Amino acid sequence: MIDTLLVAMNDTLQKDQSKQMHAERKHSIGLIQEKMTDRYQVDERVSKKSESWEQVFAYADAYGKIRLGYFGGRFKEQTTRTQNSFAAAVGGILGIQTAVYKGFRLNAATYVSQDLPFLYDTDKRSNDFYTEYGDSYAYLAEAEMEYASTFFQAKIGRFGIDMPYANKDDLRMSQNTFEGGWLHLHYTKEWSSQFFFLQRWAGFDSSDANVSQSEFKKLVEGGSGMIGASILYKYNEDSEASLWYHHIDKMADILYGEINGAYDATAFIHIDYGLQAADIMQRDASHIDGEVYGAMLMGHYNDFFMGAAANFAQVDAGNSITDGFGGGPYFTSLDEATIAYASESAPGEDIDMYRFSAGYDKKEWYSSFEYAYGYMHCRDNFIKEHDLIYTFNLDEKWQAQAIGANFRMKNSDNRFNRVVIRIDYNF
């Protein structure tokens, strides 16, 4: 009897330890782990409830983020000598959301980046934190009406979203946001769907040498935007399978599938795993066409982890694959290089890309230390990248992140060393 009781108590203890381990993994602050395990989470911002229309604005809440950013890089291209570039800015988000009335809520937020020229050499300015002219900016990045019930959640206007080929990808001062409409249906606890139409976007990923990140522009020039749908099945608490269809006018139709999950080997050892596949079919002779396959495996022992990921792109002559609008969905993506970036650099080439990572969460210091190495190769070219990442997360208010990247591309002789530091205070 006593032996049976002890076995039962030990089994209960192991289950409790396993649950605690799951909770810690799901709330890991490491950038690599977050990108691998928290892929397409739906934002559910908490708001006050009102009993009348008069209370909607009376109970409105202001919120925001103060962000201090520093950028330093040393670049070399084939046709130029080595150059240094720097940037420093203070900014963030200033927003207001109304109380919820009969399921409806309004939200608006301005994204800001203000130059701090006294902190760096302005003759060597990088525009990573600024407009294409090197100026400070402020713009209305979010302006949405939302309705939520137990069955579905819907948004229309400007908002942030995380999907395979359209995501926030918060890299510098301002994350990506999109203009359009979005609907999330909850059929059961296990089954759900998303439906979306996106027409324009703004944010760091949307910018180039001629277009500012602070201006909303069409997803594809001359196109009417992206429309699509998904179906997701959550087959246990930490694992799910999803299938997505994207129709991007003037660019491509993309069918994307993913399995992402976790397995407990013991009370202190668990494994994250993932499989993905994309079929990209060009439209209007865009030459965005190909197939991508991928897998990832990440093992955790207490606070240590090691992982490996691989992607393979099959591309016909003259074509390349895409990340879409944001950081893309691929498991091997690094701070700079993705398999789509490699494909765009070598059109018509099949691409193999690998990423190896390791890290340690130091909970007593509210810190995560991570390292990633990526290697891409095709017939006549290769890319190598090393990333060192430190993440600090004291609580919901204070966070900081420092990313150091070393990048080299063989054929073009492009190479750089880069450091990005950000400190956030949420209020």
Side-chain angles (χ1 to χ4, degrees), residues 290-356:
E291 298 173 351
V292 186
Y293 305 95
M296 74 91 175
L297 197 64
M298 187 177 295
H300 303 254
Y301 177 73
N302 287 334
D303 295 331
F304 292 92
F305 78 88
M306 295 184 67
N311 279 120
F312 308 99
Q314 298 177 354
V315 184
D316 291 333
N319 297 330
S320 60
I321 61 170
T322 181
D323 282 324
F325 309 96
Y330 307 119
F331 291 141
T332 54
S333 296
L334 297 156
D335 184 62
E336 175 67 21
T338 70
I339 193 170
Y341 175 92
S343 182
E344 291 166 1
S345 303
E349 298 282 347
D350 291 345
I351 308 289
D352 297 342
M353 188 165 181
Y354 307 91
R355 192 194 67 192
F356 305 94

Side-chain angles (χ1 to χ4, degrees), residues 180-392:
W182 172 84
L183 174 66
H184 185 211
L185 297 179
H186 314 268
Y187 305 119
T188 67
K189 183 179 179 181
E190 294 82 17
W191 291 92
S192 63
S193 285
Q194 296 184 40
F195 300 87
F196 49 90
F197 167 63
L198 306 176
Q199 188 173 23
R200 301 200 303 165
W201 70 320
F204 177 72
D205 287 327
S206 74
S207 64
D208 58 32
N210 302 310
V211 182
S212 173
Q213 59 184 295
S214 60
E215 298 175 7
F216 276 84
K217 70 284 294 179
K218 288 188 175 181
L219 298 183
V220 178
E221 189 63 35
S224 58
M226 173 197 292
I227 189 169
S230 72
I231 183 74
L232 182 146
Y233 173 62
K234 198 172 183 67
Y235 55 92
N236 64 42
E237 182 181 359
D238 300 303
S239 306
E240 60 189 31
S242 60
L243 182 65
W244 302 74
Y245 170 72
H246 314 73
H247 167 76
I248 309 171
D249 191 33
K250 305 297 183 183
M251 181 176 164
D253 291 311
I254 305 176
L255 186 64
Y256 175 79
E258 178 178 316
I259 297 174
N260 193 292
Y263 169 74
D264 289 330
T266 71
F268 303 102
I269 299 175
H270 71 268
I271 297 169
D272 296 315
Y273 61 88
L275 297 171
Q276 63 184 180
D279 187 8
I280 304 171
M281 299 158 280
Q282 68 173 313
R283 298 186 62 85
D284 300 298
S286 66
H287 297 290
I288 305 298
D289 192 280
E291 298 173 351
V292 186
Y293 305 95
M296 74 91 175
L297 197 64
M298 187 177 295
H300 303 254
Y301 177 73
N302 287 334
D303 295 331
F304 292 92
F305 78 88
M306 295 184 67
N311 279 120
F312 308 99
Q314 298 177 354
V315 184
D316 291 333
N319 297 330
S320 60
I321 61 170
T322 181
D323 282 324
F325 309 96
Y330 307 119
F331 291 141
T332 54
S333 296
L334 297 156
D335 184 62
E336 175 67 21
T338 70
I339 193 170
Y341 175 92
S343 182
E344 291 166 1
S345 303
E349 298 282 347
D350 291 345
I351 308 289
D352 297 342
M353 188 165 181
Y354 307 91
R355 192 194 67 192
F356 305 94
S357 57
Y360 176 62
D361 281 337
K362 185 68 173 176
K363 295 181 175 60
E364 296 83 0
W365 297 352
Y366 311 101
S367 298
S368 176
F369 304 87
E370 300 173 285
Y371 166 74
Y373 168 72
Y375 176 76
M376 178 285 300
H377 75 89
C378 59
R379 184 175 59 186
D380 297 319
N381 198 7
F382 71 78
I383 292 175
K384 295 180 179 180
E385 182 174 341
H386 301 266
D387 294 337
L388 285 172
I389 306 163
Y390 169 69
T391 305
F392 174 82

Side-chain angles (χ1 to χ4, degrees), residues 16-276:
D16 289 343
Q17 289 172 332
S18 179
K19 289 180 180 179
Q20 181 182 1
M21 178 184 66
H22 267 304
E24 289 173 351
R25 178 181 62 81
K26 290 196 294 183
H27 293 90
S28 173
I29 63 175
L31 180 63
I32 295 174
Q33 296 182 72
E34 183 182 71
K35 283 188 174 182
M36 291 299 97
T37 58
D38 295 321
R39 301 276 284 173
Y40 309 120
Q41 299 300 310
V42 175
D43 293 334
E44 295 182 359
R45 186 178 291 149
V46 177
S47 300
K48 295 177 182 177
K49 292 185 178 180
S50 60
E51 300 298 329
S52 66
W53 179 252
E54 290 75 16
Q55 293 177 339
V56 167
F57 293 98
Y59 290 172
D61 284 329
Y63 67 91
K65 180 196 300 287
I66 298 174
R67 170 169 288 177
L68 179 65
Y70 176 81
F71 174 95
R74 184 175 179 85
F75 299 81
K76 183 181 186 302
E77 297 182 357
Q78 190 173 24
T79 57
T80 64
R81 59 184 178 84
T82 301
Q83 302 178 56
N84 296 326
S85 61
F86 305 95
V90 62
I93 300 173
L94 181 60
I96 186 169
Q97 60 181 4
T98 67
V100 175
Y101 178 60
K102 294 185 177 181
F104 288 94
R105 184 192 67 174
L106 301 176
N107 171 67
T110 298
Y111 291 3
V112 179
S113 183
Q114 176 64 49
D115 189 14
L116 298 176
F118 55 88
L119 292 181
Y120 67 98
D121 185 351
T122 54
D123 291 335
K124 301 175 181 178
R125 174 184 281 123
S126 166
N127 287 344
D128 281 48
F129 292 167
Y130 317 117
T131 70
E132 77 275 25
Y133 303 111
D135 298 327
S136 304
Y137 64 75
Y139 67 102
L140 187 64
E142 299 178 35
E144 66 189 278
M145 180 174 67
E146 178 182 338
Y147 176 81
S149 70
T150 55
F151 178 62
F152 72 91
Q153 181 183 1
K155 296 181 180 183
I156 187 169
R158 294 181 177 179
F159 48 83
I161 199 74
D162 280 309
M163 300 186 297
Y165 289 91
N167 46 66
K168 296 192 287 286
D169 197 29
D170 192 7
L171 292 174
R172 297 293 187 266
M173 292 296 290
S174 300
Q175 65 186 17
N176 304 321
T177 57
F178 299 85
E179 254 182 27
W182 172 84
L183 174 66
H184 185 211
L185 297 179
H186 314 268
Y187 305 119
T188 67
K189 183 179 179 181
E190 294 82 17
W191 291 92
S192 63
S193 285
Q194 296 184 40
F195 300 87
F196 49 90
F197 167 63
L198 306 176
Q199 188 173 23
R200 301 200 303 165
W201 70 320
F204 177 72
D205 287 327
S206 74
S207 64
D208 58 32
N210 302 310
V211 182
S212 173
Q213 59 184 295
S214 60
E215 298 175 7
F216 276 84
K217 70 284 294 179
K218 288 188 175 181
L219 298 183
V220 178
E221 189 63 35
S224 58
M226 173 197 292
I227 189 169
S230 72
I231 183 74
L232 182 146
Y233 173 62
K234 198 172 183 67
Y235 55 92
N236 64 42
E237 182 181 359
D238 300 303
S239 306
E240 60 189 31
S242 60
L243 182 65
W244 302 74
Y245 170 72
H246 314 73
H247 167 76
I248 309 171
D249 191 33
K250 305 297 183 183
M251 181 176 164
D253 291 311
I254 305 176
L255 186 64
Y256 175 79
E258 178 178 316
I259 297 174
N260 193 292
Y263 169 74
D264 289 330
T266 71
F268 303 102
I269 299 175
H270 71 268
I271 297 169
D272 296 315
Y273 61 88
L275 297 171
Q276 63 184 180

